[in-house]
Amino acid sequence: MMSFLKSAVKASFGLISALLLVGFAFNAKAQNGNLKKLEVEDYAQWESLGFSSTFSDDGNWFFYDIRRNNDKNEIRLHHLTDNSLKVLPEGSRAQFSADSRWLGYFINPTAEARKKSNRPLRSQFSLMNLNGTDSLIKEDVSSFSFSDDSQFLALKQNVASGKKSKGADLIIRNLKTGTEMNFGNVSDFAWQEKGSLMAMIIDADGKAGNGLQLFDAKTNILKVLDSKEAVYTGLQWRKESDDLAVFRSFKNEDYEDSTHHILTWQKLTSKAPIASIFDQQNVADFPTDHRVLNNRSLTWSKNGQSIFFEIKVWEQKPAKSDKKEEKNDVLDLTDEAPALQIWHSSDVKVIPEQEILARRRREDQYLAVWHLNSNRFIQLANELTESVRLQTDASILIGSDATPYEKDAMFGRGNIDAYTVDIMTGAREKILTKVNYVFAVSPDAQFVPYVEGKDVFVYDIKAKTKKNLSQGLDASFVNEDDDHPTPDKRPYGFVAWEKIGASFFVNSKYDVWQFYTNASKPRRITDGKSEQIRARYNFFNFEDYIDEKQPMYVSLFGTWSKMSGYGIVTPGKSVKRLIFENARVSRLNKAENADRFAYSIESFSDSPDFFVGSGELSDAKQISNTNPFQSEYYWGKTELVEYTNANGQRLQGSLFYPANYEVGKKYPMITYIYELLSDGIHSYVVPSQRSYYNNSVFSQEGYFVLLPDIIFDAGDPGISSVKTLEAAVKTVVDMGMVDEKKVGLIGHSWGGYQAGYAVTQTDIFAASVAGAGLTNLTSMYGMIAWAFGGAPENAHFEVSQERMEVPPYEDVDRYIRNSSVFSIENLNTPLLFEVGDNDQNVDWRQGIEYYNAARRAGKQFVLLVYANEGHGLSQDKNRADYQMRILKWFDHYLKGGPTQPWIQQGIPYETQMKELKNWKK
């Protein structure tokens, strides 16, 4: 269906745009057999769909971002009524007005202009009238926003260079008349929903005139709501109302940092707005020596009666000594504090974790609420219930206490006790002991779903009873296939509560289920288990609740077929499949006020494109045509392969064919590994030098590429990986298309560990490439993972990715037998190993350990060390270099191509530096 759709649409839209005409020209070349191999210089033109795509509210317009390898990016804007296309070069951050008459977007400097300029260049703002020809270009704009009634546009300019405050000019433009008003020193602004009120925070140098102002764009009336020499932040309108809140800083000279007052105004459009202030000095029960934080947004309750925020201990400044220091000539080495941290084995969070949390100001922050009508303060989270799940429409919240299990949590086996927390009184009561997964409380604040063992339960807060809702059902609600050695398996997930709160929706392995709080018979909403098709509810606007009376859209994915698509279902009826293709179907999107939907389709050999149609999707038509020039080049195809691992488990792999495959010819193959990869068989891969492990590039270079699924044995991740690799490679070799003596291996991070380890255990690979991999599990176990908040590796090693179950001192043999460096004598395969010398994830000294071991043992090993790079390479020059060296490495060892000096022998440092200096030559 996919290829038919795309060719049919090209015919129907062929006269619309030059873009599609070009595509037709290339198709004609393809039919004539004038295909060619893709070269590096051809990569620049390649396109990919960006992350931004949306309809206008009326459904008549649709735009999406196009990103190119050559950085010549654009927005493509489709008028869906007359099928016209507008290309907006270098466009980004686009937004429609709610009435669908205007489009605002930024025009970024071109890549060429940025390269030539000796200073940073700023984007231009463009305003386009979608129903006319007029447009507006403005310089020096940092952000913009349309009013909800679509009558006005706010444009905030960039902060002037050298200015200490964050204020800049704000322009409000009347979209009908074109007249503009300018406001100075605005640091933040926000339109009222469903109205024309603009709230503005004023922030000037010296704080003179700072405050909160309210501008009515319809009447041109400006009001000063508050003004002090303070810093105002956190502007927050209540949804679809005229209630407004903001933080105002307050300094106490006896304390470090600042606290904040909270200012609110209710019914701002009425004749008598209600202004309130939360000042901790005048509020009963506010804890002594605490302060109000502004690093988390103010949150209105749904009914507008309460404001949620966070508090933290307020550190006092050290007391000043009255004694004058006596001068003497004796050097006292204890006068200056040492540069010291004290780490203790009883630390629950190690000092690096605590340090990072302190820098982020997230340590020991507690959720609180201010009830406006009664001016009451309630601290919701504390040392007992340190984490409280915020729900803005619930009178009872769920808090968790992990303290009883913190020692186990240090090593990845944590649990919590769950509490109810009354937002009106602060009263808390333990309801669940030693659980892992507790979901959102019901809208009526009476029921709490949670998972215990393999089952879904509900706790009745009023009756103080629990019920097992899933017992006896023929479905798995926790992932029993997960090979991580954790005590509790992760559930497939809570979806949402039904609108009235009498039921809720939960995922099983294949289906969406509806459970009832009165414990009546659960209802399976979808029917994917029989065909092993996974169904998941598709959110369009991240709804709080699901209306069971309305049709539900669900995504569909074949566990073994890898087919995908969408369906529609009403509870109690069967799923109607709307589209289900042997491709990757994704990005389902809906217009706000129209029966118009968009989705994308792609496969490895077919670049992703958008289709637009009605809610049934049966009338969907292709509107985009990315990479039409691909038809000039040879391209590969994909195939699923199946095999079993040493434990008899059924597994799959994705096999990508060489671009110019000839039947009967045997090819070299690159095996890329990580964990479970076969689900990505239909992902289109843009050929690029920035993506150094690139399936399309490998295919173009004449390789088969195998991405096998790997399930690991706890305690023996390396050994089990090798056995699976041997089975997967043998399956492909037995198909008769791959030369078994020309198989390469490649992986990064956890895949890099496997790529470095496997070649010490098996000789089936002619060459291997390992990026940022672990090599010595005993030494890596004791490291700090700086990239993950400064946490120790203990939990990661025992129950997470490494799956080692126990620490090294309990079973050192398993650590040794699964470490590359301890099997160095068995390394018979040339190994290329890459590291970045600023890797905050896998300590780059893991690569050095392997290098030194291989050097001592006389093995063929090349270590690439990229300066100032982390776990993945970020600089284009390094990405391109690494990809080039991978290709040279495999070309030599898998194809018998010429060798390179750096492959065969060590190159002196001074020679290397000279070569880098003369790189272009």
Side-chain angles (χ1 to χ4, degrees):
M1 178 178 175
M2 181 186 62
S3 58
F4 169 77
L5 273 174
K6 287 199 174 184
S7 60
V9 173
K10 285 177 181 176
S12 63
F13 284 82
L15 299 177
I16 294 171
S17 74
L19 180 65
L20 299 186
L21 285 172
V22 172
F24 264 88
F26 286 155
N27 283 338
K29 287 184 179 181
Q31 292 171 1
N32 294 332
N34 299 324
L35 299 182
K36 55 186 179 182
K37 177 182 176 292
L38 186 64
E39 303 292 348
V40 173
E41 54 266 27
D42 299 319
Y43 296 173
Q45 62 189 318
W46 240 263
E47 307 166 344
S48 60
L49 293 179
F51 295 109
S52 180
S53 63
T54 193
F55 284 102
S56 59
D57 282 4
D58 65 5
N60 290 330
W61 296 87
F62 184 77
F63 77 74
Y64 52 91
D65 290 340
I66 290 291
R67 315 290 294 177
R68 286 196 183 88
N69 284 346
N70 61 11
D71 294 327
K72 293 181 179 179
N73 305 319
E74 65 193 31
I75 291 174
R76 292 183 186 168
L77 176 65
H78 291 261
H79 192 282
L80 301 173
T81 303
D82 63 15
N83 298 324
S84 62
L85 169 67
K86 293 182 179 179
V87 176
L88 312 178
E90 301 299 337
S92 68
R93 294 181 283 166
Q95 177 186 331
F96 288 111
S97 62
D99 65 358
S100 306
R101 291 187 58 196
W102 302 92
L103 179 76
Y105 66 98
F106 285 97
I107 303 171
N108 299 324
T110 64
E112 292 85 355
R114 293 196 305 270
K115 190 173 182 179
K116 291 178 181 178
S117 176
N118 57 6
R119 60 182 178 84
L121 299 179
R122 288 174 168 172
S123 301
Q124 296 175 314
F125 170 78
S126 177
L127 176 67
M128 177 186 294
N129 187 334
L130 296 174
N131 299 321
T133 57
D134 57 318
S135 62
L136 173 74
I137 300 291
K138 277 193 175 291
E139 304 285 345
D140 204 33
V141 174
S142 64
S143 60
F144 73 96
S145 177
F146 292 104
S147 62
D148 233 22
D149 60 10
S150 301
Q151 295 184 41
F152 304 95
L153 170 67
L155 300 165
K156 184 174 181 293
Q157 297 194 304
N158 291 288
V159 178
S161 177
K163 191 173 183 180
K164 295 179 180 179
S165 61
K166 298 180 180 179
D169 284 354
L170 179 73
I171 300 167
I172 295 183
R173 180 182 179 87
N174 186 312
L175 292 171
K176 184 177 181 180
T177 65
T179 58
E180 295 181 347
M181 294 192 68
N182 191 299
F183 302 87
N185 294 317
V186 176
S187 63
D188 194 12
F189 67 97
W191 289 107
Q192 170 204 8
E193 285 193 51
K194 310 297 183 186
S196 59
L197 294 180
M198 162 64 73
M200 300 177 289
I201 290 177
I202 307 302
D203 186 17
D205 285 354
K207 300 181 183 177
N210 278 14
L212 181 66
Q213 298 182 0
L214 186 71
F215 178 67
D216 189 330
K218 285 186 177 179
T219 64
N220 287 342
I221 294 176
L222 178 68
K223 294 180 181 179
V224 177
L225 296 181
D226 193 74
S227 181
K228 282 187 180 296
E229 288 191 7
V231 177
Y232 294 75
T233 53
L235 197 61
Q236 199 68 250
W237 286 98
R238 183 164 72 90
K239 191 174 182 181
E240 298 184 1
S241 78
D242 55 358
D243 297 346
L244 179 66
V246 70
F247 288 114
R248 184 181 69 197
S249 68
F250 176 76
K251 196 82 174 173
N252 185 321
E253 294 304 321
D254 294 331
Y255 290 85
E256 305 284 357
D257 301 312
S258 296
T259 188
H260 295 83
H261 296 154
I262 301 172
L263 311 181
T264 65
W265 292 264
Q266 295 170 285
K267 302 180 180 179
L268 273 167
T269 55
S270 69
K271 293 182 179 180
I274 303 169
S276 304
I277 181 170
F278 181 89
D279 182 346
Q280 65 193 60
Q281 297 179 99
N282 303 322
V283 176
D285 299 326
F286 192 89
T288 305
D289 291 334
H290 279 65
R291 64 190 180 103
V292 175
L293 298 174
N294 70 335
N295 60 351
R296 173 172 171 167
S297 299
L298 288 166
T299 304
W300 284 93
S301 63
K302 196 169 185 180
N303 60 16
Q305 296 176 10
S306 307
I307 292 278
F308 297 94
F309 56 98
E310 289 192 337
I311 65 173
K312 183 178 181 177
V313 170
W314 200 1
E315 298 291 341
Q316 291 191 357
K317 290 182 178 179
K320 293 182 179 179
S321 175
D322 294 331
K323 294 182 179 181
K324 294 183 177 179
E325 293 186 7
E326 296 182 2
K327 293 183 178 180
N328 60 64
D329 297 328
V330 179
L331 177 62
D332 188 347
L333 296 179
T334 63
D335 277 350
E336 188 176 350
L340 172 69
Q341 291 180 346
I342 301 173
W343 299 18
H344 197 281
S345 61
S346 64
D347 293 332
V348 174
K349 280 188 171 62
V350 298
I351 296 301
E353 282 185 281
Q354 297 180 42
E355 182 181 5
I356 290 173
L357 285 169
R359 286 203 301 266
R360 295 174 180 171
R361 308 182 78 179
R362 300 297 300 176
E363 180 76 349
D364 297 329
Q365 295 183 193
Y366 297 122
L367 182 68
V369 63
W370 171 36
H371 300 297
L372 278 68
N373 295 345
S374 59
N375 195 30
R376 293 183 62 231
F377 165 83
I378 302 294
Q379 183 174 336
L380 301 172
N382 57 21
E383 291 84 353
L384 176 63
T385 52
E386 63 268 21
S387 176
V388 175
R389 181 200 299 267
L390 178 57
Q391 292 179 239
T392 59
D393 58 349
S395 60
I396 297 290
L397 303 181
I398 303 302
S400 61
D401 176 24
T403 306
Y405 317 103
E406 61 186 13
K407 291 294 183 182
D408 290 333
M410 291 163 59
F411 311 110
R413 299 168 178 87
N415 294 94
I416 62 167
D417 293 338
Y419 288 75
T420 55
V421 182
D422 191 313
I423 71 166
M424 299 306 297
T425 67
R428 60 201 73 227
E429 181 180 355
K430 185 192 289 188
I431 58 172
L432 301 169
T433 302
K434 200 175 183 180
V435 292
N436 280 88
Y437 305 103
V438 180
F439 303 133
V441 69
S442 61
D444 59 4
Q446 185 175 346
F447 298 98
V448 183
Y450 66 100
V451 170
E452 187 175 304
K454 299 179 181 180
D455 288 305
V456 177
F457 286 74
V458 68
Y459 182 86
D460 187 325
I461 296 172
K462 291 182 179 178
K464 300 182 180 180
T465 58
K466 65 179 184 179
K467 298 172 184 175
N468 187 333
L469 302 183
S470 63
Q471 189 172 22
L473 295 179
D474 184 23
S476 298
F477 295 94
V478 300
N479 188 359
E480 298 177 69
D481 298 327
D482 187 356
D483 61 351
H484 294 88
T486 53
D488 299 287
K489 298 301 182 183
R490 187 177 295 274
Y492 285 106
F494 174 80
V495 182
W497 278 93
E498 200 278 323
K499 195 172 184 179
I500 63 173
S503 64
F504 58 92
F505 298 87
V506 171
N507 292 325
S508 68
K509 182 175 181 178
Y510 296 109
D511 294 304
V512 179
W513 288 74
Q514 186 175 15
F515 288 104
Y516 298 89
T517 57
N518 63 5
S520 58
K521 185 178 179 181
R523 178 159 59 181
R524 186 168 64 184
I525 304 301
T526 58
D527 53 1
K529 184 175 182 179
S530 58
E531 297 180 74
Q532 299 187 52
I533 294 173
R534 184 178 69 231
R536 294 293 181 259
Y537 183 83
N538 187 86
F539 287 93
F540 290 109
N541 296 308
F542 301 101
E543 307 95 299
D544 292 330
Y545 303 110
I546 292 175
D547 187 347
E548 66 176 350
K549 296 179 182 178
Q550 296 297 318
M552 304 177 188
Y553 282 83
V554 291
S555 63
L556 305 172
F557 181 79
T559 304
W560 298 104
S561 69
K562 311 304 179 187
M563 296 177 69
S564 65
Y566 292 98
I568 191 169
V569 61
T570 300
K573 297 182 180 180
S574 298
V575 175
K576 179 181 180 181
R577 290 186 190 172
L578 305 178
I579 181 171
F580 197 59
E581 295 292 324
N582 189 29
R584 184 186 181 192
V585 184
S586 59
R587 306 180 195 229
L588 186 64
N589 194 354
K590 181 187 181 301
E592 182 74 19
N593 301 319
D595 184 39
R596 239 175 197 157
F597 292 74
Y599 60 87
S600 67
I601 301 180
E602 67 183 282
S603 70
F604 174 70
S605 57
D606 198 349
S607 181
D609 279 304
F610 278 111
F611 291 72
V612 172
S614 66
E616 293 290 310
L617 305 186
S618 57
D619 59 348
K621 295 180 180 179
Q622 182 178 343
I623 64 165
S624 66
N625 185 29
T626 57
N627 300 313
F629 40 78
Q630 180 184 314
S631 57
E632 279 195 310
Y633 303 93
Y634 293 111
W635 209 265
K637 63 176 184 177
T638 58
E639 179 181 346
L640 277 171
V641 295
E642 291 202 3
Y643 51 94
T644 57
N645 66 9
N647 299 325
Q649 293 167 294
R650 178 188 179 189
L651 295 174
Q652 291 181 305
S654 301
L655 183 63
F656 301 82
Y657 278 63
N660 189 17
Y661 173 70
E662 298 177 18
V663 177
K665 181 179 176 181
K666 286 197 174 185
Y667 289 82
M669 182 173 76
I670 296 172
T671 306
Y672 182 86
I673 53 172
Y674 193 72
E675 292 194 11
L676 302 175
L677 298 174
S678 65
D679 285 358
I681 188 170
H682 296 308
S683 295
Y684 184 82
V685 181
V686 171
S688 170
Q689 288 181 289
R690 291 181 171 128
S691 169
Y692 31 84
Y693 310 125
N694 191 293
N695 297 336
S696 293
V697 170
F698 294 155
S699 172
Q700 290 292 328
E701 293 297 321
Y703 297 99
F704 272 95
V705 183
L706 173 64
L707 275 63
D709 287 343
I710 297 174
I711 294 177
F712 301 88
D713 292 345
D716 275 319
I719 290 173
S720 54
S721 171
V722 173
K723 291 178 179 178
T724 303
L725 278 170
E726 289 177 328
V729 170
K730 184 177 186 305
T731 297
V732 176
V733 168
D734 288 348
M735 294 167 67
M737 302 177 293
V738 170
D739 187 335
E740 66 178 340
K741 295 182 179 180
K742 297 179 180 179
V743 178
L745 180 62
I746 192 168
H748 191 87
S749 190
W750 185 236
Y753 158 68
Q754 297 171 73
Y757 176 77
V759 288
T760 68
Q761 306 296 311
T762 181
D763 293 333
I764 66 170
F765 299 106
S768 183
V769 176
L774 297 77
T775 68
N776 183 346
L777 301 190
T778 59
S779 61
M780 190 64 196
Y781 175 89
M783 293 294 104
I784 295 288
W786 305 104
F788 297 100
E793 283 283 353
N794 309 121
H796 197 250
F797 257 78
E798 292 180 30
V799 298
S800 189
Q801 196 162 48
E802 282 78 1
R803 301 166 174 87
M804 294 302 288
E805 290 187 300
V806 299
Y809 58 81
E810 288 189 16
D811 192 343
V812 68
D813 288 344
R814 69 172 61 178
Y815 277 79
I816 290 175
R817 68 174 176 261
N818 285 280
S819 294
S820 308
V821 296
F822 292 113
S823 297
I824 192 66
E825 290 182 272
N826 300 323
L827 178 63
N828 300 317
T829 303
L831 178 59
L832 178 66
F833 205 101
E834 175 272 334
V835 296
D837 69 3
N838 191 34
D839 194 335
Q840 301 292 300
N841 189 337
V842 174
D843 192 315
W844 77 287
R845 286 168 289 193
Q846 289 283 298
I848 295 176
E849 285 195 47
Y850 208 163
Y851 164 78
N852 279 326
R855 185 169 172 272
R856 179 67 178 86
K859 302 297 183 178
Q860 174 65 341
F861 184 102
V862 176
L863 181 66
L864 304 177
V865 182
Y866 289 96
N868 304 313
E869 290 283 13
H871 195 55
L873 303 181
S874 60
Q875 300 179 60
D876 285 348
K877 62 181 182 181
N878 295 336
R879 291 169 171 174
D881 179 79
Y882 184 32
Q883 185 187 79
M884 177 271 292
R885 294 185 191 278
I886 291 170
L887 295 176
K888 294 291 186 183
W889 186 263
F890 283 140
D891 181 70
H892 175 63
Y893 287 111
L894 302 187
K895 292 181 178 179
T899 188
Q900 301 283 311
W902 61 270
I903 293 177
Q904 287 301 107
Q905 61 195 27
I907 301 176
Y909 171 80
E910 290 188 0
T911 304
Q912 291 187 39
M913 295 303 102
K914 184 178 179 181
E915 290 178 352
L916 292 176
K917 187 176 181 180
N918 300 297
W919 182 255
K920 288 185 178 181
K921 297 179 182 179

